[in-house]
Amino acid sequence: QVQVRESGGGSVQEGGSLNVSCTASGPTHEDYVMGWFRQAPGKARERVSCWSDGKIYYSDSVKGRFTASRDNAKNTLYLQMNNLKPEETAMYYCAADFWRESYDDDYCSGSWPFGYWGQGTQVTVSS
């Protein structure tokens, strides 16, 4: 089994910043594809960022403001979120899955059914 854990959420004023972290862990070392998603009440879940074999993807709405980075030794994916907007208030979820080269083009397409999810970390941006 794989455990996915997020941390670093909180409450900030509009224009503020937060750095959230996600760690994937299991009984043995594995390479993981990892991604950040968010979901606000009444809205569909949105992919924010995705990391796969050194390639990083961002949604258009956060590009230029959010930066993802990976600590491969710790299987940790960080997401630095700058200039946050009130409409980005949401529960931020991290997801992970075993990485296999044959599926590399599919993981970050936005529709990959990630096998392991964290419980989420709340991000609240006030105006």
Side-chain angles (χ1 to χ4, degrees), residues 36-103:
W36 279 101
F37 300 78
R38 64 188 179 191
Q39 187 168 25
K43 297 183 179 180
R45 188 174 63 198
E46 174 191 12
R47 189 191 72 178
V48 177
S49 183
C50 186
W51 186 98
S52 179
D53 195 30
K55 300 180 290 293
I56 306 174
Y57 303 86
Y58 301 97
S59 67
D60 290 339
S61 64
V62 308
K63 192 174 299 182
R65 296 186 298 115
F66 290 11
T67 302
S69 59
R70 186 106 188 298
D71 185 334
N72 292 324
K74 298 180 179 179
N75 280 328
T76 298
L77 182 67
Y78 304 93
L79 185 66
Q80 177 67 43
M81 304 183 291
N82 297 324
N83 195 21
L84 284 159
K85 306 173 182 179
E87 58 265 33
E88 293 178 308
T89 293
M91 184 70 73
Y92 283 68
Y93 296 94
C94 180
D97 213 338
F98 298 109
W99 182 84
R100 299 291 185 267
E101 185 175 1
S102 59
Y103 299 107

